[in-house]
Amino acid sequence: MAKQPAKPLALTLGEPAGIGPDITIAAWLKRRELDLPAFYLLGDEALIARRAKALGAAVRIASVTTGEAEAAFPQALPVVASGEPASAAPGKPDASSAPAALASIRQAVTDVREGRAGAVVTNPIAKSVLYRAGFRHPGHTEFLAELAAEDGPTPQPVMMLWSPRLAVVPVTIHVSLRDALAQLTSELIVSTVRIVATELKSRFGIANPRIAISGLNPHAGEDGSLGHEEQTVIAPAIKTLRGDGIEAKGPLLADTMFHEAARNSYDCAVCMYHDQALIPIKTVAFDDAVNVTLGLPFIRTSPDHGTAFDIAGTGKANPASLIAALRLASRMAAAKTR
């Protein structure tokens, strides 16, 4: 097996009716072939057993404590009970979905913060299901920031989508485009890029990160004729960042900064709103992109896709993004301990 991080990775259940159980089983079955780091699933053993049966997957499941997980991993998929049973059938979320999904996330964060796991890796959740149960956060990222604040101030979570070919960060995240424009400030750009630069150094091993910063408007505002935000908001932020010693360039034309030659000129692209960042990475790295939350006091990665209710339990789900998330979490955990 590969050189392991100091501790196993805590993998959350995600939406029980989605493809999280499918890709977890598929990833574990490839553990030797792909030399994967040890992980354990926080969830309901009975649900995983039912899903394995539905998939026809020959997987041994071991109900373990966190301390037993790494030793069990080579021979069985370790499952640590989260305290919430899940009865949801594939593609059919029920009343058990939200409590099971949230308990798994909370326990994963606790395990990492208390030193029992090396990183949190989250399977996809269904936000619409959680909202019906009273969940008040825009997404995983914001919920994790709240959990991180239990022992101190609330951190600024920064969502990075990473792949070997491209890494992107949206300055504004899960808000409408109208609200994104209202939220966008020089201060938010500066604080976001500072977090990106710091963690590219500490957790990705990039000594001098090169940050490409997009414009907001078509043609980056065309010298003010198509909008003034580049001149009044983005350029002042870049000046501040350069004064910090950060290699930040821009504002760049968003429609020309993602072709192959352009991508080779920077380590991360920071964009002004969600789709401006996510459309290019989902175009060039749909199967192996990883969602990474920066700015937290613990490592968190996740597959860059949703619950895919339509294929849950069919065996059609591709585990590539989860596998990439496990590998990146292991890499980041190792870098943190050096």
Side-chain angles (χ1 to χ4, degrees):
M1 302 294 286
K3 183 180 179 181
Q4 302 293 326
K7 301 177 182 70
L9 307 173
L11 176 61
T12 70
L13 177 64
E15 164 55 52
I19 61 170
D22 305 41
I23 58 178
T24 297
I25 291 167
W28 182 82
L29 289 172
K30 292 176 177 287
R31 68 200 181 285
R32 291 194 177 94
E33 173 191 347
L34 300 179
D35 212 14
L36 296 183
F39 64 86
Y40 61 91
L41 180 69
L42 282 155
D44 181 1
E45 179 187 1
L47 175 86
I48 301 304
R50 291 194 301 270
R51 189 63 60 88
K53 183 177 180 180
L55 294 169
V59 54
R60 180 184 170 197
I61 300 168
S63 179
V64 298
T65 65
T66 306
E68 298 167 336
E70 188 167 6
F73 180 77
Q75 291 79 39
L77 171 58
V79 177
V80 176
S82 65
E84 289 286 350
S87 59
K92 299 177 180 179
D94 63 22
S96 71
S97 287
L102 295 175
S104 182
I105 298 168
R106 290 191 183 98
Q107 188 59 50
V109 171
T110 298
D111 284 354
V112 173
R113 296 183 68 168
E114 295 184 357
R116 294 186 291 271
V120 174
V121 181
T122 58
N123 266 311
I125 56 174
K127 285 175 281 190
S128 61
V129 175
L130 297 183
Y131 293 155
R132 292 197 293 271
F135 187 71
R136 66 182 186 280
H137 304 279
H140 250 136
T141 302
E142 296 82 0
F143 181 46
L144 289 163
E146 180 181 275
L147 294 176
E150 290 181 355
D151 293 334
T154 302
Q156 179 188 343
V158 171
M159 185 174 79
M160 170 186 280
L161 278 294
W162 178 93
S163 78
R165 294 182 293 282
L166 175 64
V168 299
V169 166
V171 174
T172 59
I173 310 178
H174 296 120
V175 294
S176 71
L177 186 55
R178 185 184 301 276
D179 287 344
L181 296 178
Q183 287 183 10
L184 190 65
T185 63
S186 297
E187 292 76 16
L188 182 59
I189 296 169
V190 168
S191 63
T192 299
V193 176
R194 283 173 175 164
I195 290 169
V196 172
T198 296
E199 299 210 18
L200 285 177
K201 291 178 183 178
S202 65
R203 294 183 173 175
F204 290 81
I206 301 173
N208 296 295
R210 302 166 299 166
I211 313 295
I213 299 178
S214 78
L216 172 68
N217 298 296
H219 302 179
E222 196 77 69
D223 292 327
S225 63
L226 297 177
H228 297 279
E229 287 84 0
E230 286 75 14
Q231 297 165 320
T232 60
V233 177
I234 303 173
I238 293 172
K239 182 178 179 180
T240 298
L241 292 164
R242 288 173 178 166
D244 291 345
I246 295 172
E247 187 176 336
K249 60 180 180 179
L252 302 176
L253 280 67
D255 62 351
T256 62
M257 63 186 287
F258 294 107
H259 61 82
E260 185 174 5
R263 297 198 306 268
N264 290 335
S265 70
Y266 56 80
D267 299 301
C268 182
V270 173
C271 301
M272 298 302 107
Y273 57 92
H274 184 280
D275 284 9
Q276 193 182 46
L278 271 64
I279 288 172
I281 194 165
K282 291 193 175 188
T283 300
V284 303
F286 186 78
D287 288 327
D288 58 1
V290 178
N291 187 339
V292 187
T293 305
L294 308 179
L296 301 177
F298 51 84
I299 295 163
R300 179 264 180 155
T301 68
S302 180
D304 179 29
H305 57 68
T307 54
F309 286 133
D310 58 324
I311 60 170
T314 67
K316 296 179 181 178
N318 185 347
S321 188
L322 174 59
I323 289 167
L326 291 163
R327 283 178 159 161
L328 183 60
S330 178
R331 168 185 162 185
M332 292 173 71
K336 186 180 178 182
T337 59
R338 282 200 295 267

